[in-house]
Amino acid sequence: MNDAATPKIGLALSGGGSRAIAFHLGCLRALNRLGLLDRVVILSTVSGGSVIGAYFHAHFNAHAGDFTSFEANIRALLARGLVAPMWRKLFSALGLKVAAAFAAVGLVALGVALIKLLLKVVRLMTPRALAVQFERFAVRSPLHRFASRTSLLEAALDDLLFKGASLKDLPAQPHLVINATELRTGSAFRFGTMESGSWRWGKLHRNDASVAHAVAASAAYPLFLPAFDETLTFEKDGALKGDRVILTDGGIYDNLGLGCLWPDRSPDVSLNVVSVDTIICCSAGYGLRQDPPSQFIFARMLSVFSAVFDRAQNAAMHRLHEAQRSGQIKSFLFPYLGQQDRQLPNPPADLVRREEAHAYPTDFNAMPNEWIDRLSLRGEQLTLCLARAYIPHLVNQPSPV
């Protein structure tokens, strides 16, 4: 097969905590059976998808495609969970640092709030002509949150999976992109083996972030894990500049990880631009959500957030169809946990039904083996069925599941 005929696959692994890790394990198992993993030119990951995707990239390439040991390690990680290893880190030097950061940031924030209150009182007591002068003052905390619970997650990930590796230590091929969200600008922040940064801030001067740090930023779900607050050095328009960035869960911006795979991206503006003609997006969310009645503001706002979140993913699905119709890509697959079973082409007799699998929470707690089997098998079954139906010319036909 010549280079022009060789498919260039972009693979995206969505967010969704441990549920995503287990589901994507099955999807990767199917893609391995189909002979498609060697044709992936770029792997884009988000949150839980970043945990398994970054480890897959490091392990699968370093161990000559040994999927068996990769799967065994991921199953062990799921059974152990990340929460307990995180909390054990509290009883260490890092735990003391987290406690110190919490106290220091809290005290400084209280001081800033008191100063703002004092300025407000003074402004109310000052003649209008002078009061406008106070509008020039923008009192903000000068202190970065130099350690947090997300630092504990980073340390646990490094111990269990990444062993101190940095992005520059990973194989150059396929390209790996770990997606986070930069809150100051509301833009995507992408850590990549090719380059890292944001179109708003520029490209990181030195692409030497640790893999664990990138994955922890991608997985820092803001309701439970604080964002990373750090100053980084960027290259933009031929100049170097240090800027303060706030990095949180990549799913806030793009939970499917499709942002860096769209065919109309320009390298003049965007980072990590890699040409693909086939997109495979594995999604561990979307579908069958039914929240309880919302009585209080927190529950209502969570439902509102989820609704916006789901509609954004729905729009991305429609964009995939449009990209194929317009000829921007040749084909795509979208195996997702909430797939309607009646629309699945040639499902196996032992199909794990979506009602049996969709309700697992999106946390990082230890997962029972029953759920690991259930979620991963559904991911494998969906991927095999869809691939056989929609890209039969690209796959090695495996035996039925």
Side-chain angles (χ1 to χ4, degrees), residues 4-43:
T6 301
K8 297 178 180 178
I9 298 175
L11 174 60
L13 303 179
S14 79
S18 291
R19 182 175 76 189
I21 297 174
F23 181 77
H24 296 329
L25 176 61
C27 296
L28 291 171
R29 189 163 63 219
L31 295 174
N32 185 54
R33 292 182 61 197
L34 295 167
L36 292 175
L37 289 180
D38 291 336
R39 303 179 184 184
V40 173
V41 297
I42 180 170
L43 171 59

mmCIF file of all heavy atoms in Angstrom, residues 4-43:
data_model
loop_
_atom_site.group_PDB
_atom_site.id
_atom_site.type_symbol
_atom_site.label_atom_id
_atom_site.label_comp_id
_atom_site.label_asym_id
_atom_site.label_seq_id
_atom_site.Cartn_x
_atom_site.Cartn_y
_atom_site.Cartn_z
ATOM 1 N N ALA A 4 -0.098 7.353 -0.304
ATOM 2 C CA ALA A 4 -1.345 8.049 -0.589
ATOM 3 C C ALA A 4 -2.552 7.223 -0.206
ATOM 4 O O ALA A 4 -3.607 7.752 0.144
ATOM 5 C CB ALA A 4 -1.406 8.402 -2.070
ATOM 6 N N ALA A 5 -2.403 5.880 -0.281
ATOM 7 C CA ALA A 5 -3.530 5.006 0.035
ATOM 8 C C ALA A 5 -3.576 4.614 1.500
ATOM 9 O O ALA A 5 -4.583 4.085 1.969
ATOM 10 C CB ALA A 5 -3.472 3.754 -0.832
ATOM 11 N N THR A 6 -2.506 4.852 2.238
ATOM 12 C CA THR A 6 -2.469 4.480 3.642
ATOM 13 C C THR A 6 -3.370 5.419 4.442
ATOM 14 O O THR A 6 -3.212 6.636 4.373
ATOM 15 C CB THR A 6 -1.031 4.568 4.184
ATOM 16 O OG1 THR A 6 -0.199 3.710 3.429
ATOM 17 C CG2 THR A 6 -0.997 4.160 5.650
ATOM 18 N N PRO A 7 -4.324 4.880 5.200
ATOM 19 C CA PRO A 7 -5.207 5.765 5.977
ATOM 20 C C PRO A 7 -4.441 6.490 7.073
ATOM 21 O O PRO A 7 -3.522 5.943 7.675
ATOM 22 C CB PRO A 7 -6.233 4.788 6.567
ATOM 23 C CG PRO A 7 -5.534 3.475 6.599
ATOM 24 C CD PRO A 7 -4.628 3.458 5.396
ATOM 25 N N LYS A 8 -4.820 7.729 7.297
ATOM 26 C CA LYS A 8 -4.251 8.525 8.380
ATOM 27 C C LYS A 8 -5.354 8.730 9.406
ATOM 28 O O LYS A 8 -6.253 9.547 9.214
ATOM 29 C CB LYS A 8 -3.730 9.858 7.842
ATOM 30 C CG LYS A 8 -2.595 9.710 6.842
ATOM 31 C CD LYS A 8 -2.145 11.057 6.315
ATOM 32 C CE LYS A 8 -1.013 10.901 5.319
ATOM 33 N NZ LYS A 8 -0.583 12.209 4.758
ATOM 34 N N ILE A 9 -5.275 7.960 10.477
ATOM 35 C CA ILE A 9 -6.351 7.927 11.461
ATOM 36 C C ILE A 9 -6.038 8.860 12.618
ATOM 37 O O ILE A 9 -4.940 8.833 13.184
ATOM 38 C CB ILE A 9 -6.567 6.494 11.984
ATOM 39 C CG1 ILE A 9 -6.988 5.574 10.838
ATOM 40 C CG2 ILE A 9 -7.606 6.468 13.101
ATOM 41 C CD1 ILE A 9 -7.102 4.118 11.238
ATOM 42 N N GLY A 10 -7.013 9.684 12.969
ATOM 43 C CA GLY A 10 -6.966 10.450 14.203
ATOM 44 C C GLY A 10 -7.879 9.789 15.218
ATOM 45 O O GLY A 10 -9.059 9.560 14.942
ATOM 46 N N LEU A 11 -7.343 9.443 16.371
ATOM 47 C CA LEU A 11 -8.102 8.737 17.411
ATOM 48 C C LEU A 11 -8.306 9.669 18.596
ATOM 49 O O LEU A 11 -7.350 10.240 19.122
ATOM 50 C CB LEU A 11 -7.348 7.483 17.854
ATOM 51 C CG LEU A 11 -7.920 6.692 19.035
ATOM 52 C CD1 LEU A 11 -9.331 6.195 18.742
ATOM 53 C CD2 LEU A 11 -7.001 5.515 19.390
ATOM 54 N N ALA A 12 -9.562 9.832 19.016
ATOM 55 C CA ALA A 12 -9.903 10.680 20.169
ATOM 56 C C ALA A 12 -10.520 9.822 21.259
ATOM 57 O O ALA A 12 -11.394 8.993 20.991
ATOM 58 C CB ALA A 12 -10.867 11.788 19.754
ATOM 59 N N LEU A 13 -10.069 10.024 22.495
ATOM 60 C CA LEU A 13 -10.606 9.334 23.660
ATOM 61 C C LEU A 13 -11.203 10.377 24.599
ATOM 62 O O LEU A 13 -10.500 11.243 25.119
ATOM 63 C CB LEU A 13 -9.509 8.539 24.384
ATOM 64 C CG LEU A 13 -8.765 7.496 23.546
ATOM 65 C CD1 LEU A 13 -7.688 6.820 24.398
ATOM 66 C CD2 LEU A 13 -9.712 6.463 22.957
ATOM 67 N N SER A 14 -12.494 10.276 24.846
ATOM 68 C CA SER A 14 -13.222 11.307 25.598
ATOM 69 C C SER A 14 -12.917 11.269 27.089
ATOM 70 O O SER A 14 -12.290 10.341 27.612
ATOM 71 C CB SER A 14 -14.726 11.110 25.399
ATOM 72 O OG SER A 14 -15.193 10.063 26.237
ATOM 73 N N GLY A 15 -13.458 12.271 27.772
ATOM 74 C CA GLY A 15 -13.422 12.288 29.224
ATOM 75 C C GLY A 15 -14.514 11.414 29.818
ATOM 76 O O GLY A 15 -15.366 10.875 29.117
ATOM 77 N N GLY A 16 -14.484 11.300 31.155
ATOM 78 C CA GLY A 16 -15.492 10.497 31.838
ATOM 79 C C GLY A 16 -14.941 9.671 32.984
ATOM 80 O O GLY A 16 -15.510 8.633 33.325
ATOM 81 N N GLY A 17 -13.831 10.111 33.595
ATOM 82 C CA GLY A 17 -13.303 9.433 34.771
ATOM 83 C C GLY A 17 -12.955 7.977 34.513
ATOM 84 O O GLY A 17 -12.568 7.575 33.413
ATOM 85 N N SER A 18 -13.115 7.156 35.550
ATOM 86 C CA SER A 18 -12.807 5.731 35.414
ATOM 87 C C SER A 18 -13.749 5.032 34.446
ATOM 88 O O SER A 18 -13.383 4.035 33.824
ATOM 89 C CB SER A 18 -12.865 5.052 36.790
ATOM 90 O OG SER A 18 -11.789 5.484 37.602
ATOM 91 N N ARG A 19 -14.973 5.529 34.340
ATOM 92 C CA ARG A 19 -15.895 4.968 33.353
ATOM 93 C C ARG A 19 -15.298 5.062 31.957
ATOM 94 O O ARG A 19 -15.364 4.120 31.162
ATOM 95 C CB ARG A 19 -17.233 5.715 33.398
ATOM 96 C CG ARG A 19 -18.276 5.166 32.447
ATOM 97 C CD ARG A 19 -19.601 5.868 32.635
ATOM 98 N NE ARG A 19 -19.621 7.203 32.058
ATOM 99 C CZ ARG A 19 -20.604 8.082 32.243
ATOM 100 N NH1 ARG A 19 -21.619 7.788 33.055
ATOM 101 N NH2 ARG A 19 -20.566 9.266 31.662
ATOM 102 N N ALA A 20 -14.685 6.211 31.661
ATOM 103 C CA ALA A 20 -14.047 6.389 30.360
ATOM 104 C C ALA A 20 -12.854 5.454 30.207
ATOM 105 O O ALA A 20 -12.639 4.874 29.132
ATOM 106 C CB ALA A 20 -13.617 7.840 30.190
ATOM 107 N N ILE A 21 -12.062 5.304 31.258
ATOM 108 C CA ILE A 21 -10.887 4.430 31.167
ATOM 109 C C ILE A 21 -11.315 3.012 30.808
ATOM 110 O O ILE A 21 -10.736 2.374 29.913
ATOM 111 C CB ILE A 21 -10.097 4.449 32.490
ATOM 112 C CG1 ILE A 21 -9.552 5.849 32.774
ATOM 113 C CG2 ILE A 21 -8.948 3.442 32.445
ATOM 114 C CD1 ILE A 21 -8.889 5.983 34.134
ATOM 115 N N ALA A 22 -12.336 2.493 31.493
ATOM 116 C CA ALA A 22 -12.785 1.120 31.235
ATOM 117 C C ALA A 22 -13.392 0.990 29.840
ATOM 118 O O ALA A 22 -13.115 0.026 29.110
ATOM 119 C CB ALA A 22 -13.799 0.706 32.298
ATOM 120 N N PHE A 23 -14.225 1.946 29.440
ATOM 121 C CA PHE A 23 -14.843 1.893 28.112
ATOM 122 C C PHE A 23 -13.780 1.974 27.019
ATOM 123 O O PHE A 23 -13.795 1.202 26.053
ATOM 124 C CB PHE A 23 -15.847 3.028 27.984
ATOM 125 C CG PHE A 23 -16.570 3.065 26.660
ATOM 126 C CD1 PHE A 23 -17.600 2.177 26.389
ATOM 127 C CD2 PHE A 23 -16.217 3.991 25.686
ATOM 128 C CE1 PHE A 23 -18.272 2.204 25.168
ATOM 129 C CE2 PHE A 23 -16.877 4.033 24.464
ATOM 130 C CZ PHE A 23 -17.907 3.136 24.207
ATOM 131 N N HIS A 24 -12.833 2.906 27.175
ATOM 132 C CA HIS A 24 -11.785 3.056 26.167
ATOM 133 C C HIS A 24 -10.874 1.841 26.120
ATOM 134 O O HIS A 24 -10.307 1.533 25.054
ATOM 135 C CB HIS A 24 -10.960 4.309 26.445
ATOM 136 C CG HIS A 24 -11.741 5.579 26.332
ATOM 137 N ND1 HIS A 24 -12.813 5.733 25.469
ATOM 138 C CD2 HIS A 24 -11.604 6.781 26.952
ATOM 139 C CE1 HIS A 24 -13.297 6.954 25.571
ATOM 140 N NE2 HIS A 24 -12.590 7.606 26.471
ATOM 141 N N LEU A 25 -10.702 1.156 27.239
ATOM 142 C CA LEU A 25 -9.919 -0.083 27.216
ATOM 143 C C LEU A 25 -10.520 -1.063 26.213
ATOM 144 O O LEU A 25 -9.799 -1.681 25.424
ATOM 145 C CB LEU A 25 -9.877 -0.700 28.616
ATOM 146 C CG LEU A 25 -9.180 -2.060 28.721
ATOM 147 C CD1 LEU A 25 -7.718 -1.955 28.309
ATOM 148 C CD2 LEU A 25 -9.297 -2.611 30.142
ATOM 149 N N GLY A 26 -11.846 -1.200 26.233
ATOM 150 C CA GLY A 26 -12.497 -2.088 25.277
ATOM 151 C C GLY A 26 -12.378 -1.586 23.852
ATOM 152 O O GLY A 26 -12.160 -2.376 22.917
ATOM 153 N N CYS A 27 -12.524 -0.272 23.654
ATOM 154 C CA CYS A 27 -12.376 0.294 22.310
ATOM 155 C C CYS A 27 -10.977 0.044 21.766
ATOM 156 O O CYS A 27 -10.808 -0.356 20.595
ATOM 157 C CB CYS A 27 -12.655 1.796 22.335
ATOM 158 S SG CYS A 27 -14.345 2.253 22.792
ATOM 159 N N LEU A 28 -9.960 0.262 22.590
ATOM 160 C CA LEU A 28 -8.583 0.020 22.157
ATOM 161 C C LEU A 28 -8.344 -1.456 21.878
ATOM 162 O O LEU A 28 -7.616 -1.818 20.941
ATOM 163 C CB LEU A 28 -7.605 0.531 23.214
ATOM 164 C CG LEU A 28 -7.533 2.049 23.384
ATOM 165 C CD1 LEU A 28 -6.697 2.413 24.607
ATOM 166 C CD2 LEU A 28 -6.953 2.711 22.137
ATOM 167 N N ARG A 29 -8.957 -2.304 22.686
ATOM 168 C CA ARG A 29 -8.816 -3.756 22.455
ATOM 169 C C ARG A 29 -9.369 -4.118 21.080
ATOM 170 O O ARG A 29 -8.769 -4.903 20.341
ATOM 171 C CB ARG A 29 -9.536 -4.513 23.561
ATOM 172 C CG ARG A 29 -9.281 -6.020 23.572
ATOM 173 C CD ARG A 29 -9.695 -6.601 24.915
ATOM 174 N NE ARG A 29 -11.110 -6.438 25.170
ATOM 175 C CZ ARG A 29 -11.626 -6.128 26.361
ATOM 176 N NH1 ARG A 29 -10.825 -5.925 27.392
ATOM 177 N NH2 ARG A 29 -12.929 -6.016 26.523
ATOM 178 N N ALA A 30 -10.524 -3.542 20.726
ATOM 179 C CA ALA A 30 -11.116 -3.815 19.416
ATOM 180 C C ALA A 30 -10.238 -3.264 18.293
ATOM 181 O O ALA A 30 -9.998 -3.942 17.286
ATOM 182 C CB ALA A 30 -12.513 -3.213 19.344
ATOM 183 N N LEU A 31 -9.754 -2.040 18.445
ATOM 184 C CA LEU A 31 -8.907 -1.446 17.413
ATOM 185 C C LEU A 31 -7.618 -2.234 17.237
ATOM 186 O O LEU A 31 -7.079 -2.331 16.117
ATOM 187 C CB LEU A 31 -8.602 0.013 17.764
ATOM 188 C CG LEU A 31 -9.810 0.958 17.780
ATOM 189 C CD1 LEU A 31 -9.398 2.336 18.296
ATOM 190 C CD2 LEU A 31 -10.432 1.080 16.393
ATOM 191 N N ASN A 32 -7.118 -2.790 18.314
ATOM 192 C CA ASN A 32 -5.927 -3.640 18.227
ATOM 193 C C ASN A 32 -6.239 -4.912 17.436
ATOM 194 O O ASN A 32 -5.462 -5.322 16.559
ATOM 195 C CB ASN A 32 -5.439 -3.984 19.636
ATOM 196 C CG ASN A 32 -4.133 -4.751 19.631
ATOM 197 O OD1 ASN A 32 -3.151 -4.312 19.038
ATOM 198 N ND2 ASN A 32 -4.115 -5.899 20.285
ATOM 199 N N ARG A 33 -7.375 -5.524 17.708
ATOM 200 C CA ARG A 33 -7.780 -6.726 16.972
ATOM 201 C C ARG A 33 -7.989 -6.425 15.494
ATOM 202 O O ARG A 33 -7.714 -7.268 14.637
ATOM 203 C CB ARG A 33 -9.073 -7.288 17.556
ATOM 204 C CG ARG A 33 -8.967 -7.870 18.956
ATOM 205 C CD ARG A 33 -10.309 -8.437 19.397
ATOM 206 N NE ARG A 33 -10.756 -9.512 18.516
ATOM 207 C CZ ARG A 33 -11.996 -9.970 18.453
ATOM 208 N NH1 ARG A 33 -12.935 -9.412 19.215
ATOM 209 N NH2 ARG A 33 -12.317 -10.949 17.635
ATOM 210 N N LEU A 34 -8.459 -5.237 15.190
ATOM 211 C CA LEU A 34 -8.738 -4.848 13.816
ATOM 212 C C LEU A 34 -7.502 -4.392 13.053
ATOM 213 O O LEU A 34 -7.573 -4.107 11.857
ATOM 214 C CB LEU A 34 -9.775 -3.716 13.800
ATOM 215 C CG LEU A 34 -11.169 -4.066 14.326
ATOM 216 C CD1 LEU A 34 -11.985 -2.806 14.545
ATOM 217 C CD2 LEU A 34 -11.885 -5.001 13.374
ATOM 218 N N GLY A 35 -6.384 -4.285 13.733
ATOM 219 C CA GLY A 35 -5.155 -3.855 13.080
ATOM 220 C C GLY A 35 -5.101 -2.375 12.770
ATOM 221 O O GLY A 35 -4.352 -1.948 11.875
ATOM 222 N N LEU A 36 -5.864 -1.559 13.516
ATOM 223 C CA LEU A 36 -5.949 -0.135 13.216
ATOM 224 C C LEU A 36 -5.025 0.733 14.074
ATOM 225 O O LEU A 36 -4.775 1.889 13.722
ATOM 226 C CB LEU A 36 -7.393 0.350 13.392
ATOM 227 C CG LEU A 36 -8.402 -0.199 12.379
ATOM 228 C CD1 LEU A 36 -9.814 0.254 12.744
ATOM 229 C CD2 LEU A 36 -8.053 0.248 10.971
ATOM 230 N N LEU A 37 -4.542 0.223 15.189
ATOM 231 C CA LEU A 37 -3.745 1.062 16.084
ATOM 232 C C LEU A 37 -2.451 1.519 15.418
ATOM 233 O O LEU A 37 -1.981 2.638 15.666
ATOM 234 C CB LEU A 37 -3.442 0.313 17.378
ATOM 235 C CG LEU A 37 -4.637 0.109 18.314
ATOM 236 C CD1 LEU A 37 -4.204 -0.644 19.560
ATOM 237 C CD2 LEU A 37 -5.273 1.440 18.688
ATOM 238 N N ASP A 38 -1.866 0.677 14.562
ATOM 239 C CA ASP A 38 -0.628 1.062 13.887
ATOM 240 C C ASP A 38 -0.845 2.156 12.850
ATOM 241 O O ASP A 38 0.120 2.732 12.335
ATOM 242 C CB ASP A 38 0.007 -0.156 13.214
ATOM 243 C CG ASP A 38 0.543 -1.165 14.224
ATOM 244 O OD1 ASP A 38 0.846 -0.740 15.357
ATOM 245 O OD2 ASP A 38 0.648 -2.351 13.888
ATOM 246 N N ARG A 39 -2.101 2.433 12.506
ATOM 247 C CA ARG A 39 -2.399 3.446 11.490
ATOM 248 C C ARG A 39 -2.807 4.781 12.105
ATOM 249 O O ARG A 39 -3.128 5.723 11.390
ATOM 250 C CB ARG A 39 -3.507 2.937 10.570
ATOM 251 C CG ARG A 39 -3.159 1.607 9.904
ATOM 252 C CD ARG A 39 -4.275 1.118 9.015
ATOM 253 N NE ARG A 39 -3.974 -0.199 8.453
ATOM 254 C CZ ARG A 39 -4.740 -0.830 7.573
ATOM 255 N NH1 ARG A 39 -5.877 -0.270 7.169
ATOM 256 N NH2 ARG A 39 -4.405 -2.009 7.110
ATOM 257 N N VAL A 40 -2.807 4.864 13.424
ATOM 258 C CA VAL A 40 -3.137 6.115 14.108
ATOM 259 C C VAL A 40 -1.942 7.055 14.014
ATOM 260 O O VAL A 40 -0.833 6.709 14.424
ATOM 261 C CB VAL A 40 -3.507 5.858 15.580
ATOM 262 C CG1 VAL A 40 -3.687 7.166 16.333
ATOM 263 C CG2 VAL A 40 -4.782 5.023 15.664
ATOM 264 N N VAL A 41 -2.176 8.255 13.481
ATOM 265 C CA VAL A 41 -1.098 9.242 13.367
ATOM 266 C C VAL A 41 -1.164 10.289 14.468
ATOM 267 O O VAL A 41 -0.176 10.974 14.737
ATOM 268 C CB VAL A 41 -1.108 9.920 11.981
ATOM 269 C CG1 VAL A 41 -0.838 8.911 10.884
ATOM 270 C CG2 VAL A 41 -2.413 10.675 11.726
ATOM 271 N N ILE A 42 -2.333 10.439 15.102
ATOM 272 C CA ILE A 42 -2.466 11.379 16.218
ATOM 273 C C ILE A 42 -3.507 10.842 17.187
ATOM 274 O O ILE A 42 -4.567 10.369 16.778
ATOM 275 C CB ILE A 42 -2.838 12.798 15.731
ATOM 276 C CG1 ILE A 42 -2.965 13.773 16.921
ATOM 277 C CG2 ILE A 42 -4.083 12.804 14.870
ATOM 278 C CD1 ILE A 42 -3.086 15.231 16.514
ATOM 279 N N LEU A 43 -3.165 10.892 18.454
ATOM 280 C CA LEU A 43 -4.046 10.440 19.532
ATOM 281 C C LEU A 43 -4.378 11.639 20.406
ATOM 282 O O LEU A 43 -3.487 12.249 20.996
ATOM 283 C CB LEU A 43 -3.350 9.350 20.358
ATOM 284 C CG LEU A 43 -4.030 8.895 21.648
ATOM 285 C CD1 LEU A 43 -5.420 8.339 21.375
ATOM 286 C CD2 LEU A 43 -3.166 7.854 22.367
#
